[in-house]
Amino acid sequence: MFQVPWSEYSVDLWEGLLKTLSYTAVGFVGAALLGLAVALMRLSPARPLRIPAVLYTEVFKNVPLLAVIFLTYFGLGSIGLKLDAFQAGTLSLVIFYAAYLSEIFRSAINGVHGGQQEAAEALGMRRISTFGKVVFPQALRLALPGTNTMLVDLLKSTSLLVTISAAELMSQGRLITSATFRALEVYLVIAAVYFVLCYPLSQGLLWFERRIQAGTPLSVGRRRRLRAAKALLDRKMSAQEMSTQEMSAQEITTPEVRA
Amino acid sequence: MTEVTENRTATDVLTIAGLSKSFGGRLVLDDVSLSVHRSTITAIIGQSGGGKTTLLRCLNLLERPDRGLIAVDGEPIFDRRVVCRDLPELRRSVGMVFQRFNLFPHLTAVENVILAPLDAGVPEREAVERAVGLLRRVRLTHRATAYPEQMSGGEQQRVAIARALALRPSVLLFDEPTSSLDPESTGEVLRVMRELAGDGMTMVLVTHELSFARDVADRVVFVDGGRIVEEGEPGQVLGNPREPRTREFLTHFSQSHQSKE
């Protein structure tokens, strides 16, 4: 059954794989940044910001990705704005996925309890710190599951770029097929490569999600402050040698993991 | 109106004069005037919906009054409009404890206390030391690295008190701090508040804990229908009220509490 000389195509496959990963990375980072900007615009009290954001989201949520790819590659090319396959491909992924991510981010930011903003305000925190240190970290936790799904979905959608010969995995598969005429074998292997990429990615993201939900401090600053607080508590405890608080001392040696 | 503040700056932490506020045409505060002296406890009592919480929330401008004057430490912050140049700075000197705690759920207890001082520019080391000291003061060092959802209501409220104290405010506002707590947790929180009172902290609290108000407060203010109906020493207002409306409220209150027990 397996008659394709794979060793001859290993370089092509490898290059396709790297290309797929580049499309995914650039596309996702761009989409996340644009999506956050659009979400903030939609949450703004100013109508001139809100209306274009709503229009943007609604338009790109209701247009197929393939149409967006053709528009940016062939459409813009026809009016003199010639983009190469990588530019057109990443641009399509960014504008298409930003629409979905903006919806996820918007509902996550909305999902942070109003009392949180108020508590930060009452503590004299300014708007930017309130957003950055109170609202955003909580919204991030709420947005994580949806965002992770979108990342895996984006990776798989890079295969649509085969239509503009973007040199990613699927395009390489098509080239190998046209050289060997072994469509079943080639596309089985290509599908397997996608699976090998996506499955660990989604499992890894799930693990990351669970760690975040468990409250594991990820930022260097948080870890440092927690260490400093614990050192201070330990010192005071041992100085006082309070036998009654031995339990407490044990508890504070590691951050408690949430149930 | 500025006369009022000038005369009382020496002892008054808070001065309110002719404060009014309405929500959608409904008058919630109607020409309220009140002074809070340094190192005193003022308990605001009254029926739900009577304007107590709105009054408290006006004091750090979480709520904007429609009319009147508010001065903190002799400095007008509101005089028919917000005249406070730096709202965050004002709020650092007027701490607030909420009914539903409003701790930051993504941070541990000690980080909840550290956050605001750090944001206000206190060096990290000092902010951490301050936070640990405050957790000791509310007897929660053993819960320093717990997240809010792992703590009981009483513990959360004590962390919230430590958090409000971390900026060393000149006055602390409590909005029904024990209303969502069970009796045991209520006891823990009231104990901490009693100690704060003993340390000379200026406090304004909206409360339904009349016996606590009687024991600890220097002044009791009965608010009804957006107006201050009666104010005075706790023994007088709660024991021998002058106003029929106060008497009616206290009678209903003690009846409903007896029936609960």
Side-chain angles (χ1 to χ4, degrees):
Chain A
M1 176 187 171
F2 289 99
Q3 291 176 5
V4 175
W6 283 107
S7 54
E8 284 174 29
Y9 296 110
S10 60
V11 174
D12 298 324
L13 271 183
W14 179 247
E15 276 172 3
L17 181 86
L18 290 182
K19 210 70 178 188
T20 291
L21 292 177
S22 325
Y23 277 112
T24 307
V26 178
F28 184 73
V29 170
L33 291 176
L34 181 60
L36 182 62
V38 173
L40 291 176
M41 282 169 71
R42 275 196 83 162
L43 290 166
S44 154
R47 269 170 75 95
L49 288 176
R50 241 176 20 237
I51 292 171
V54 172
L55 280 176
Y56 174 86
T57 317
E58 290 312 317
V59 166
F60 287 103
K61 261 174 36 186
N62 293 292
V63 171
L65 176 56
L66 196 55
V68 179
I69 295 171
F70 280 17
L71 273 169
T72 52
Y73 190 67
F74 301 114
L76 289 181
S78 71
I79 56 161
L81 258 170
K82 189 90 189 89
L83 300 178
D84 65 32
F86 190 77
Q87 290 167 334
T90 45
L91 182 66
S92 307
L93 292 168
V94 167
I95 55 181
F96 183 80
Y97 279 93
Y100 284 93
L101 287 173
S102 79
E103 289 285 81
I104 293 172
F105 296 161
R106 182 174 65 101
S107 81
I109 294 169
N110 264 339
V112 176
H113 194 265
Q116 293 290 309
Q117 181 121 15
E118 200 161 69
E121 251 178 70
L123 285 165
M125 292 176 67
R126 289 172 202 279
R127 278 179 67 178
I128 291 179
S129 331
T130 300
F131 184 76
K133 295 172 184 170
V134 174
V135 177
F136 186 75
Q138 294 184 54
L140 191 67
R141 283 162 173 76
L142 295 175
L144 218 49
T147 308
N148 290 347
T149 310
M150 280 295 143
L151 171 56
V152 177
D153 192 64
L154 188 150
L155 195 162
K156 289 186 292 183
S157 293
T158 56
S159 61
L160 284 175
L161 297 174
V162 66
T163 51
I164 57 168
S165 302
E168 34 57 66
L169 265 177
M170 202 66 174
S171 302
Q172 298 296 357
R174 200 179 54 177
L175 289 177
I176 300 169
T177 311
S178 55
T180 59
F181 302 104
R182 307 281 305 176
L184 179 66
E185 187 184 339
V186 172
Y187 289 124
L188 268 178
V189 169
I190 295 292
V193 176
Y194 276 110
F195 181 82
V196 168
L197 283 178
C198 290
Y199 186 72
L201 177 67
S202 60
Q203 291 304 306
L205 289 169
L206 267 178
W207 172 82
F208 179 67
E209 227 176 280
R210 278 197 296 267
R211 268 178 72 98
I212 292 266
Q213 303 299 357
T216 313
L218 294 176
S219 84
V220 181
R222 281 195 67 195
R223 284 166 189 269
R224 188 182 54 233
R225 287 189 283 278
L226 270 171
R227 257 200 318 275
K230 273 184 260 169
L232 218 63
L233 286 160
D234 287 341
R235 199 164 65 215
K236 298 256 164 77
M237 291 284 178
S238 58
Q240 289 164 343
E241 285 184 345
M242 288 185 297
S243 56
T244 47
Q245 299 219 4
E246 266 172 20
M247 271 292 294
S248 327
Q250 274 166 16
E251 268 175 62
I252 55 175
T253 48
T254 49
E256 294 174 31
V257 175
R258 293 195 217 188
Chain B
M1 275 199 194
T2 40
E3 219 174 275
V4 180
T5 43
E6 276 161 19
N7 289 343
R8 296 183 183 173
T9 45
T11 51
D12 287 358
V13 178
L14 280 169
T15 310
I16 306 157
L19 209 65
S20 296
K21 166 84 186 169
S22 47
F23 287 117
R26 197 174 72 90
L27 203 56
V28 189
L29 291 179
D30 183 9
D31 196 20
V32 172
S33 300
L34 184 73
S35 311
V36 174
H37 301 305
R38 196 168 300 284
S39 297
T40 60
I41 316 296
T42 305
I44 304 173
I45 61 164
Q47 257 182 340
S48 302
K52 307 181 301 284
T53 294
T54 307
L55 173 58
L56 198 73
R57 289 166 57 87
C58 283
L59 299 181
N60 63 354
L61 295 179
L62 276 184
E63 216 69 78
R64 305 280 161 102
D66 301 329
R67 273 194 309 281
L69 177 134
I70 308 169
V72 176
D73 287 325
E75 200 63 39
I77 58 162
F78 186 89
D79 190 355
R80 277 159 294 177
R81 61 189 174 83
V82 177
V83 291
C84 171
R85 274 187 302 270
D86 191 347
L87 267 183
E89 191 59 44
L90 158 76
R91 286 171 178 150
R92 285 173 205 146
S93 65
V94 184
M96 186 156 196
V97 174
F98 296 89
Q99 180 181 350
R100 297 287 316 158
F101 335 128
N102 293 1
L103 288 183
F104 304 128
H106 62 298
L107 298 175
T108 60
V110 68
E111 290 171 292
N112 262 277
V113 186
I114 292 170
L115 186 67
L118 209 58
D119 190 60
V122 175
E124 185 166 299
R125 208 185 143 73
E126 194 190 325
V128 173
E129 278 172 12
R130 218 188 262 187
V132 169
L134 285 166
L135 286 181
R136 178 161 301 111
R137 194 161 166 191
V138 298
R139 278 182 294 278
L140 279 174
T141 43
H142 62 293
R143 302 295 274 148
T145 55
Y147 285 89
E149 66 171 29
Q150 299 167 323
M151 292 188 268
S152 73
E155 288 173 336
Q156 289 190 53
Q157 194 60 299
R158 284 186 283 154
V159 174
I161 293 173
R163 180 176 74 171
L165 286 169
L167 291 157
R168 305 200 168 133
S170 49
V171 55
L172 211 49
L173 312 175
F174 291 85
D175 184 13
E176 304 194 24
T178 58
S179 293
S180 37
L181 298 178
D182 59 66
E184 197 183 334
S185 299
T186 299
E188 293 168 8
V189 171
L190 292 183
R191 188 174 157 199
V192 168
M193 289 171 65
R194 214 178 282 265
E195 287 167 0
L196 284 177
D199 294 345
M201 186 75 214
T202 311
M203 303 199 272
V204 181
L205 55 129
V206 167
T207 187
H208 293 300
E209 295 287 333
L210 296 192
S211 58
F212 180 76
R214 193 190 320 255
D215 291 354
V216 178
D218 299 287
R219 215 163 172 73
V220 171
V221 178
F222 172 58
V223 174
D224 191 57
R227 302 186 70 98
I228 294 183
V229 175
E230 184 163 0
E231 65 166 300
E233 307 250 311
Q236 182 260 309
V237 177
L238 299 171
N240 185 22
R242 280 190 303 266
E243 300 293 329
R245 182 66 195 96
T246 317
R247 225 169 295 148
E248 197 186 340
F249 168 75
L250 291 172
T251 313
H252 281 162
F253 191 87
S254 61
Q255 276 170 358
S256 68
H257 271 240
Q258 270 162 11
S259 63
K260 264 186 216 166
E261 286 161 18

